[in-house]
Amino acid sequence: QQQVKQSPQSLIVQKGGISIINCAYENTAFDYFPWYQQFPGKGPALLIAIRPDVSEKKEGRFTISFNKSAKQFSLHIMDSQPGDSATYFCAASKGSGNTGKLIFGQGTTLQVKP
Amino acid sequence: DTGVSQNPRHKITKRGQNVTFRCDPISEHNRLYWYRQTLGQGPEFLTYFQNEAQLEKSRLLSDRFSAERPKGSFSTLEIQRTEQGDSAMYLCASSTGAGGISNQPQHFGDGTRLSIL
């Protein structure tokens, strides 16, 4: 049962361009939506996260856009750099008496060309 | 380094052997999670501890898998009678339970990569 669907599977962007990764979820009880960045041989590193009381959150070059009615959220990487080349995962979890376990998307491999 | 620490980083073993992995969470974090990640996939939840209590186990966690968190500090994940399908990266994550919010940011270790020969 795939509760979080992520697209695209892979993405190639030129240096300085905008990278956009999309996720859709099914369970309306989800109330926390983080994005993780993972380099080969490393664990996922928390990049940015949002809760559904806001529609957008920006941290540096990274922005999450959240559409509660559509049950979708996306990651925008502005001014993409070769060092951003990694695999990105969206995730979702339920709070309010639940364990907070994360349900991950399938991942997007981003390549930023110099 | 005050991040989540996992040992060993790599484990190669023969099918049928038992293996044990260790996770040391961030010291003030009372919540600890184990996930499994196979190549090209996102991590999948295995089990959750709040302090020393194991409060949730995934259906992915067969009876060959057992996890403990004695005294609410480090945690161990043991796999008995390993099978080829157990080959994966086993990730540990920890978080606080501050403010009564259960889904606080989770911080991951670099995992233990298990290879079954």
Side-chain angles (χ1 to χ4, degrees), chain A residues 31 36 41 51 99-101, chain B residues 9 33 37 56 103 106 110:
Chain A
D31 62 359
Y36 283 84
R51 297 190 188 269
T99 63
K101 68 183 179 187
Chain B
R9 291 295 317 279
Y33 303 81
Q37 185 178 26
E56 185 173 353
N103 48 6
Q106 291 183 29
D110 284 335

Side-chain angles (χ1 to χ4, degrees), chain A residues 62-113:
Chain A
F62 302 94
T63 299
I64 298 180
S65 296
F66 184 80
N67 186 330
K68 188 173 181 178
S69 61
K71 293 187 287 185
Q72 294 176 347
F73 57 109
S74 60
L75 175 69
H76 296 234
I77 306 174
M78 313 299 288
D79 187 27
S80 299
Q81 299 297 312
D84 297 330
S85 298
T87 302
Y88 293 81
F89 293 97
C90 62
S93 74
K94 295 184 284 186
S96 301
N98 293 286
T99 63
K101 68 183 179 187
L102 292 169
I103 308 298
F104 282 85
Q106 302 95 316
T108 297
T109 301
L110 171 65
Q111 182 183 357
V112 181
K113 290 193 168 183

Side-chain angles (χ1 to χ4, degrees), chain A residues 50-65:
Chain A
I50 198 168
R51 297 190 188 269
D53 52 343
V54 295
S55 60
E56 186 174 284
K57 183 175 181 180
K58 183 176 181 179
E59 290 183 2
R61 297 186 294 111
F62 302 94
T63 299
I64 298 180
S65 296

